Amino acid sequence: MSQTLLEQQAALLSALWSPATAVPLGEAGLPAYQRNARAVAERALAAAYPVLRQCVGEATLAALARDHWLDCPPLRGDLAYWGAELPDWLGRLGPEHELPVWLPELARAEWVLH
């Protein structure tokens, strides 16, 4: 694989996990990739954590999924494995998120079932 291709792929991955809505790479389709990645993150967590989703609501789970995607990007191509870090990640969130203190434990139980 050429060094240029590796650099382009690294730039695309960096842009996908950027908190910015669009990162200028000269690619018109990049915002579509970002939106798709964030939507996939929401669906993956909703599938693994249905009770958590019911407890916090769709909008909160969507926001958590987007933030978790940026902080803990997937390391495998199979997104069924992504989300294992969510319970610990939830435990590290500060009080400004106003989430119930029992939420990380619920997430741990759900991940075991998943």
Side-chain angles (χ1 to χ4, degrees):
M1 197 176 302
S2 73
Q3 186 62 30
T4 303
L5 180 57
L6 288 173
E7 290 168 0
Q8 289 172 337
Q9 289 174 339
L12 177 60
L13 285 175
S14 176
L16 287 177
W17 284 290
S18 169
T21 302
V23 177
L25 285 177
E27 299 292 332
L30 183 59
Y33 277 106
Q34 288 175 320
R35 286 190 303 274
N36 184 61
R38 290 176 182 140
V40 166
E42 293 172 29
R43 288 192 304 271
L45 286 190
Y49 298 98
V51 177
L52 185 137
R53 182 179 105 205
Q54 192 173 26
C55 289
V56 301
E58 296 281 336
T60 299
L61 183 70
L64 290 172
R66 287 188 300 270
D67 291 347
H68 187 58
W69 177 266
L70 296 174
D71 289 346
C72 305
L75 300 176
R76 305 169 100 164
D78 185 349
L79 288 179
Y81 292 98
W82 180 72
E85 302 88 2
L86 184 71
D88 291 334
W89 182 82
L90 287 171
R92 291 191 303 269
L93 293 180
E96 68 275 5
H97 288 87
E98 300 179 3
L99 296 171
V101 295
W102 46 263
L103 211 57
E105 289 306 314
L106 171 64
R108 275 187 193 80
E110 281 205 281
W111 186 256
V112 170
L113 291 172
H114 172 69

